Amino acid sequence: MTKITLNSFTVLTKAPSDETELAELTKALAGKALLLLGPGKNMELQKDRVLSYIEKTNPVIISVNYIPDDIAIDYAFLSNSRRYVQLGSRL
């Protein structure tokens, strides 16, 4: 198990650590606001608030098991291979 800490978030992964990728990700996220987006009805209901937040803060946008049609994302986190197969063509 590899422990990765970024901007006070800790991630445990079974994947081997890649120091170069980790350093690049750490640099890209350092000191920036983060916005995590996930699938669900609330995303539709709160879309105006999300877009307003994006406009005001210019955060790094990370989608989790979901890729929105109308919001540009910086990173996508896909928790399993099934999600990757479903969404991989949209990356």
Side-chain angles (χ1 to χ4, degrees):
M1 188 75 61
T2 301
K3 180 179 177 181
I4 301 170
T5 302
L6 299 168
N7 285 9
S8 76
F9 291 99
T10 300
V11 176
L12 296 175
T13 178
K14 292 181 183 176
S17 177
D18 183 329
E19 296 301 321
T20 303
E21 294 294 325
L22 180 57
E24 289 177 17
L25 187 58
T26 300
K27 183 178 178 181
L29 300 179
K32 297 184 180 171
L34 300 177
L35 175 62
L36 300 178
L37 300 178
K41 190 71 171 170
N42 253 345
M43 191 57 214
E44 292 176 35
L45 295 174
Q46 301 296 328
K47 185 176 178 180
D48 291 338
R49 290 180 71 191
V50 170
L51 293 174
S52 176
Y53 177 80
I54 291 170
E55 187 176 314
K56 289 177 185 174
T57 62
N58 193 30
V60 174
I61 302 172
I62 303 170
S63 66
V64 179
N65 291 326
Y66 158 78
I67 299 177
D69 292 323
D70 49 358
I71 297 175
I73 62 170
D74 298 297
Y75 299 94
F77 172 81
L78 305 175
S79 65
N80 59 52
S81 60
R82 182 179 60 101
R83 292 281 189 191
Y84 183 79
V85 169
Q86 289 174 335
L87 301 172
S89 64
R90 297 184 57 201
L91 297 174

